[in-house]
Amino acid sequence: MGKSATTSDVHALFHSLRSAYAATANHLKIIDLYIVFAIVTAVIQVAYMAIVGSFPFNSFLSGVLSCVGTAVLAVSLRIQVNKDNKEFKDLPPERAFADFVLCNLVLHLVIMNFLG
Amino acid sequence: MAAQETSQSATFRHAFGNVLSFTVLLLIGVMAFSIRLFSVIKYESVIHEFDPYFNYRVTQFLTKSGVYDFWNWFDDRTWYPLGRVIGGTVYPGLTLTAGTLWRILNSINIPLSVETVCVFTAPVFSAFASWATYLLTKEIKGAGAGLTAAALLAMVPSYISRSVAGSYDNEAVAIFALIFTFYLYIKTLNTGSLFYATLNAIAYFYMVCSWGGYTFIINLIPMHVLLCIVTGRYSPRLYIAYAPLVVLGTLLAALVPVVGFNAVMTSEHFASFLVFIIIHVVALVYYIKGILTPQMFKVAVTLVVSVGMVLCVAVLAVLIALVASSPTKGWSGRSLSLLDPTYASKYIPIIASVSEHQPPTWPSYFMDINVLAFLVPAGIIACFLPLSDASSFAVLYIVTSVYFSGVMVRLMLVLAPAACIMSGIALSEAFDVLTRSIKFHLVGTTQNPQDNARDATKVNQNDVKSEKSEDTVKERPSRKSKKKDKENIEKPSLVSRVEKRLLVLPLETSVMAVFLLVLLGAFYVVHCVWAAAEAYSAPSIVLTSRSHDGLHVFDDFREAYAWLSHNTEVDDKVSKSKRSDSFALKTPTDVSGISFIASTHYPLILFEVLNLAVLGLVQRNKLIGLLAAAILVQVASWWDYGYQTTAMANRTVIVDNNTWNNTHIATVGTAMSSPEKAAWDIFNSLDVKYVLVVFGGLVGYPSDDINKFLWMVRIGGGVFPHIKEPDYLRDGQYRIDSQATPTMLNSLMYKLSYFRFVETDGRGYDRVRNTEIGKKHFKLTHFEEVFTTHHWMVRIYKLKSPKNRIRGKTKRSKSKSGTSTSSKRSTRKKNPWQ
């Protein structure tokens, strides 16, 4: 009895999550897809390192951190572009995207220097 | 009409305020620069102390050979025979900054020498630091507080002590980088702009390049983020301020060779990763809360808590096992001694021996930050009304820096900007209240209380609006106005309520209070100028003292280095004694300065000879080897004057101030504590030819080697167990008079310091220890004296070469050399070496 209540609760939870997420705007979903792609790439790199060892360490570090870094920056972009955020109401999305590009440039410059 | 007038007058006032603050800032910069020039005026434009000489030598190499050679430089003039990888063990920020400045100035045809650029780097960057303090405090409280804080920082004695003209050390640029990084972090936090987050990461990179104290930033910012989360102040701006900084900052820190992989592997950085994970969890929680209904959210919480808890515990257990497996839990020695102040004295005597690493005394707080010491609590209270993210950061900064300054006197330097910010806020708030009540009394005496209240709030709103419009010119209007709107809604109501209480302040009290505050400021200025002129401007390479018959100049150090440079071979290796107490020198005794007209520039080394020697040794070619051996000599000493020797005398040293190899230093310490024969053996194994000791007994110079002898014994004893400290102590004290232990009287340090000392005044009275020495007439068997400076402050000895034929009983002499701690008095045995 309790178990079915919890399972039905869990089902209801997932259903409401899915429906709420489906209601988000398209451009935000694109950014979310990009974030998922970056995280998956990072996980693949870590799995590869676990198999073949971590030498050279600086390459591994720069690869993983570049994936994590682009994910973080994409999350920041999503925060700034999301219309539901009252704090960024006056920020034009073009400015947010320009900041995102600049930060990515710096990040990838550092990555390429550290890649070795 | 009235609105138009007020808006016009507001614009005019705003423009006038801008021009005024720009002028004031310019004057503050000029003051910060000029207060640090006392030593250049009193002495000459010379580099001070010990560490700056190393930085100067590295900068010389950089300007001559370019960046690539500097980055890959392997220095074989120090730490003979190990050498030192300069590119990988030095923080390049300072040298790169000075080198860039020199190159820029030379390219626009201002031909300053490298030395001048190095000497004046610190004052220039202290002007920048006061401007950065203005920006930081403006973000926290407002422009008035910013100007006050900048003026206070320009003069604070603790910062002056490490950034006078000539003190060419890492802190000169690092403090500027620290304040600037904090400013950009607070700016990002206030505006939520990714652009400032990028700039923040780049400023953090500059800080990592400059100083080992960057770990303070990478631990303080996560602490602040955690504080904001815990107190319920999480916002998307916090995420934007923190998360990109961690990723970019870690990468940039790993780029600097000194830090390298320590950026991800040492415990000093783990706090940032932990908080990185925490902030992502919190952000996810807030996001899900936003898209779910409340009851669904409750279900989600119970699900996650039950499943996630198990996972969390497992991950934590793995992490703890990893960290606990290393003996220091992953922390480096220096950082651990900050957390546990007794750690260094128990385990790492080298760190404990540096005078700057001792805890400060109470008077040093008053000496170093003076009036600010009791303005800081007022500032902390002012930060709480109202509390914002930025002001909570300021409170956290002052609390942590007070703790760390209590552990190590050197970290008073990190306390100085925090104290200035807090005091600036306190003074600005006080002046605000007082001048407002004065203005109210002068303006509103004829109106009834109702109008008074309205006038007061209107005046307040005008001030607030002008402040707001002032800021809108500088940054994006929408974001800043939105932030100010939030604050303004609560501010006028709060202030009007407070206003009613403030109105009670009578006119005379306010005027008196303003006058007293200005007087306080005057006392502060007087103290700072005195501290800069008298206490912190000694170059410590030249000493003077006043006596009844005038001013005596002691330029013995440069005399000794000049002798070494002119009278020894190019590749001599020097052994010298421990670094003098910079703390002892800074106490205001009667040591003032006069410049000694001597050239400080010496010709550079010829590397060909050393290359030849190495070639000969490697290829075992006897002829080349013999040739090189005739030239390869070394000067052995303790580590204090290593940097100065390599920079000014251009000789190879065994150990220097970098103190990275404890065993190497312990070898020299053991040699100084052993009898002559054992010491000769040790020095011979290091290819030493000259030994240099600093002796202050004739003139009363307290920072000589006999006073530092206890560290040689301790450090030597830490690595070589046959040196036992109790052998040198009589009643728990180190003594050199007739009550001294035989081991002490036989040690090399005693003999080299007091050789022929009795000839100066007939009874050998040591002015520092204030006694007559114990053993007065003795001969040196394995060393010969080659040079003693004018005031007997620096004495140079040469190792005697062994005789070709050994006469007499060699077996007994061999067995004697093995027991260096024997307490038998050395009888006049027939010495085979004479």
Side-chain angles (χ1 to χ4, degrees), chain A residues 20 80 87 90-91 103 111, chain B residues 192 198 237 476 478-479 482:
Chain A
Q80 290 183 331
E87 292 192 6
D90 296 325
L91 179 65
C103 209
I111 294 289
Chain B
T198 318
R237 290 173 288 116
R476 319 182 27 145
S478 50
R479 192 162 302 143
K482 197 185 311 272

Side-chain angles (χ1 to χ4, degrees), chain B residues 173-347:
Chain B
V173 294
I175 296 296
F176 161 68
L178 180 87
I179 304 176
F180 198 57
T181 310
F182 283 153
Y183 158 64
L184 285 172
Y185 170 67
I186 296 294
K187 185 84 177 181
T188 318
L189 195 56
N190 279 345
T191 59
S193 151
L194 201 55
F195 173 64
Y196 281 109
T198 318
L199 287 181
N200 187 18
I202 296 177
Y204 173 67
F205 174 54
Y206 183 53
M207 178 68 192
V208 172
C209 282
S210 309
W211 197 29
Y214 75 92
T215 50
F216 182 64
I217 297 187
I218 203 63
N219 281 308
L220 184 64
I221 292 186
M223 239 195 288
H224 175 244
V225 170
L226 206 56
L227 180 73
C228 282
I229 292 177
V230 161
T231 54
R233 291 180 151 273
Y234 172 77
S235 66
R237 290 173 288 116
L238 189 68
Y239 181 86
I240 294 178
Y242 183 63
L245 171 68
V246 169
V247 179
L248 262 177
T250 310
L251 269 172
L252 286 167
L255 270 184
V256 182
V258 184
V259 177
F261 295 147
N262 285 346
V264 293
M265 299 215 289
T266 52
S267 292
E268 284 128 2
H269 295 85
F270 280 172
S272 58
F273 300 140
L274 191 66
V275 177
F276 186 64
I277 296 175
I278 290 178
I279 200 176
H280 274 96
V281 168
V282 170
L284 196 64
V285 164
Y286 269 87
Y287 172 67
I288 298 211
K289 196 167 177 182
I291 63 172
L292 282 184
T293 57
Q295 61 264 43
M296 279 292 114
F297 182 64
K298 232 177 288 190
V299 171
V301 165
T302 44
L303 179 69
V304 164
V305 164
S306 53
V307 168
M309 197 57 81
V310 177
L311 225 74
C312 239
V313 167
V315 167
L316 230 86
V318 167
L319 209 67
I320 289 179
L322 255 171
V323 164
S325 61
S326 85
T328 58
K329 314 275 179 296
W331 293 84
S332 75
R334 282 180 194 236
S335 310
L336 205 55
S337 67
L338 280 181
L339 295 177
D340 172 17
T342 58
Y343 178 79
S345 50
K346 279 187 276 184
Y347 298 106

Side-chain angles (χ1 to χ4, degrees), chain B residues 437-449 451-452 455:
Chain B
S437 47
I438 290 179
K439 213 192 297 187
F440 163 70
H441 274 284
L442 292 180
V443 166
T445 31
T446 55
Q447 295 174 350
N448 54 358
D451 290 331
N452 288 351
D455 268 346

Side-chain angles (χ1 to χ4, degrees), chain B residues 61 182 189 228 256 322 383 604 645 742 756 827:
Chain B
F61 185 81
F182 283 153
L189 195 56
C228 282
V256 182
L322 255 171
C383 275
L604 270 190
T645 305
R756 293 190 314 114
T827 51

